[in-house]
Structure formats: structure tokens, C-alpha cells
Amino acid sequence: MSIRLIALDIDDTLLDSTGKILPSTKKALQKALKQGIKVVLCSGRPLPGVEPFLKELKITGDEQYVVTYNGSVVESVTGNVVAEAGLSNDVYRQIDTYSKKHGIQYNVLDRKGEIYTSNHNVNRISVIQAWENNAGILIREPEEMPMDFSIVKGIFVGETEDLNQAQAGVQQEFGVKNYVVRAANNFLEVMNASVNKGLGLEKLANSLNILPEEIMVFGDEQNDIPMFDFAGQAVAMGNSAKIAKEHASYVTDSNDRDGIAKALEKLLYN
């Protein structure tokens, strides 16, 4: 069965280690687009943080889509929502309380991609995150926000070793009623229990009448595993986490060594 949709994680997959799209990747994906294959970026970022790459790849219009906030929002690249699910004000306050009690920095994102935290000494990871998403950082206590203020996701941020030590506690506190995932070394995310990248991709595929076996996905981290388990063809980058490779049907070269182009040439264009 032919591939009708290619879904790609962004950081360390679509982008090389310098944060750029390789010329080989751009050429291979534009070839897919010309063949009528949908190219869907699937990321923990909000739409504003994805838009520069959509523009570079020339992915435009109401009939092209993205899966953002790690599956919490499925929308067209023009912002028309297919599906979304966020977190309540109570969970937002719970995240804030946990951050203060355990000394772990955090931030939360609303539907517009704005970043909020009550941490006054903002972690460098949050600063990088805000820059990547074309957003500022708003320092607010929960009491300063409306009682109906809701978020799309919460993120505990920090150095790798700090989050390694914090992960079990966060999972225990939030994992029963929410989806908790280590999105990258510096991000431990809390989201609605009904979302992940795989479920987001499934909702999009159903809306487009595309079967799982007609989908090829690329990724490198734990939060990409639900996509790997859903799609017919799951490609892990050579630089992927070991656990991601274990869920892949094919392991390509790294994000610095034309991994996407090589996989598409072998699996799709040969």
C-alpha cells in the first residue's frame, strides 16, 4: 500500500544538531509534497514555534496539517482545529504547587502558545523554549490569573540529571489522571490523559480517511513512540534514544547525516 502521509518530529529529527533543516531533507520532503503526500510536523511546540519550518518547507493552506503540543492540538497549518484537549485550572495550580514544594522549575502553555510560570529565577531551558516558540515568558502566580484559566500542557524543565531524579515523583503525582512523558532530556511534560502524538496522528488520519499502513513517521524520542506504534512504517533516527529504536520498524542514519532523505529514498522512492 502506498504512503499518503509522512509525519515528522521536529527537534533532533527534522532539524540537525544546529537546529537547521538539511538541504537533503528539504529536497526529499518537497518531492513528497509534489507527489500529493501530506507532510505533517508533529511536535511538542505550539503552532507559532512550528511555523518557520512550515514556511521553509513550503507547507501551506487549509489542507495541510500539524500535530502540536505533543498531540494536544491537531490543526491545519492555518489554525483550523481538528481536535484538541487541554488541562484544567486545578491541574495548573497542582503543577505550580508541586514546583514550589519540590524546587523543580516549570512552565505552562495556553492555547495561543504563551508561556507562563511563577518561577522568578527563570531556568535557561525555559528561555530557550520561549525563543524557539517565538514567545515571551509571563511571570504570574495562579492567583493573578482568571479562575477559568486553562492550559494545553505543563512542563517541568531543568538540566538532564535534575529531571532524571524528579521524573519518578512527577509520574507518581500526575501520571494517574494525566499523560506524563519525557519529551526530551530537559522537558518532562504533563498533558491531558487522552492525548499523545500517536492519538493526535490517529485523529488526523481518521479525519482524512488515511489508514495507519499509509503513514510513515520519523522520530527520535520517547514522546514519538505512540506515533511509531500507530503508523505502518516507523523510522527512528540514528541519533534516537534506545527505547525509541526498539519501537521502530526501520532505523535510518542520524539527523546530521541525511537520515530522513536516506530513509525516504530507500523506503518510498526506490
Side-chain angles (χ1 to χ4, degrees), residues 224-226 228-229 234-236 242-250:
D224 297 315
I225 290 174
F228 284 10
D229 293 344
V235 181
K242 183 175 181 288
I243 190 172
K245 291 179 179 178
E246 291 171 352
H247 286 257
S249 53
Y250 182 80

Side-chain angles (χ1 to χ4, degrees), residues 162-266:
D162 293 336
L163 287 189
N164 288 345
Q165 295 179 16
Q167 187 163 348
V170 172
Q171 183 68 49
Q172 182 176 2
E173 177 76 12
F174 296 95
V176 175
K177 296 182 179 180
N178 307 281
Y179 171 49
V180 177
V181 66
R182 188 70 174 268
N185 286 335
N186 305 113
F187 298 105
L188 180 56
E189 305 196 354
V190 180
M191 289 165 286
N192 189 289
S194 68
V195 307
N196 59 50
K197 283 189 179 182
L199 290 171
L201 188 58
E202 181 178 2
K203 291 172 184 175
L204 176 60
N206 289 341
S207 73
L208 298 173
N209 294 315
I210 294 176
L211 300 173
E213 52 265 39
E214 297 175 309
I215 299 173
M216 179 186 293
V217 303
F218 289 81
D220 74 295
E221 262 295 351
Q222 293 180 39
N223 61 329
D224 297 315
I225 290 174
M227 287 201 303
F228 284 10
D229 293 344
F230 170 70
Q233 184 77 62
V235 181
M237 306 302 292
N239 52 286
S240 295
K242 183 175 181 288
I243 190 172
K245 291 179 179 178
E246 291 171 352
H247 286 257
S249 53
Y250 182 80
V251 179
T252 187
D253 214 330
S254 76
N255 60 327
D256 286 330
R257 293 173 53 87
D258 306 309
I260 290 174
K262 288 177 179 177
L264 289 175
E265 190 62 38
K266 180 176 179 63

Side-chain angles (χ1 to χ4, degrees), residues 17-74:
S17 57
T18 69
K20 305 294 183 182
I21 301 176
L22 294 174
S24 64
T25 300
K26 190 183 304 184
K27 182 178 178 180
L29 293 176
Q30 288 177 342
K31 182 176 179 179
L33 288 165
K34 289 177 181 177
Q35 293 181 3
I37 299 171
K38 292 193 181 297
V39 175
V40 178
L41 303 189
C42 300
S43 175
R45 302 183 187 212
L47 182 56
V50 175
E51 285 174 336
F53 311 116
L54 296 171
K55 183 177 180 180
E56 187 172 354
L57 293 169
K58 296 182 171 57
I59 301 173
T60 61
D62 291 335
E63 300 305 314
Q64 299 293 344
Y65 299 88
V66 291
V67 175
T68 55
Y69 297 100
N70 268 327
S72 297
V73 181
V74 181

Side-chain angles (χ1 to χ4, degrees), residues 64-129:
Q64 299 293 344
Y65 299 88
V66 291
V67 175
T68 55
Y69 297 100
N70 268 327
S72 297
V73 181
V74 181
E75 58 193 321
S76 73
V77 301
T78 55
N80 295 325
V81 174
V82 175
E84 66 177 304
L87 296 171
S88 68
N89 186 269
D90 286 342
V91 177
Y92 160 52
R93 289 170 176 270
Q94 183 184 0
I95 291 170
D96 180 83
T97 299
Y98 192 89
S99 166
K100 292 170 179 172
K101 180 178 179 180
H102 295 276
I104 310 168
Q105 291 217 1
Y106 84 98
N107 63 68
V108 300
L109 284 79
D110 68 7
R111 183 62 182 85
K112 296 179 181 179
E114 296 284 4
I115 298 174
Y116 297 83
T117 183
S118 64
N119 305 138
H120 287 270
N121 298 318
V122 177
N123 188 290
R124 71 178 184 89
I125 304 300
S126 290
V127 176
I128 295 170
Q129 173 194 352

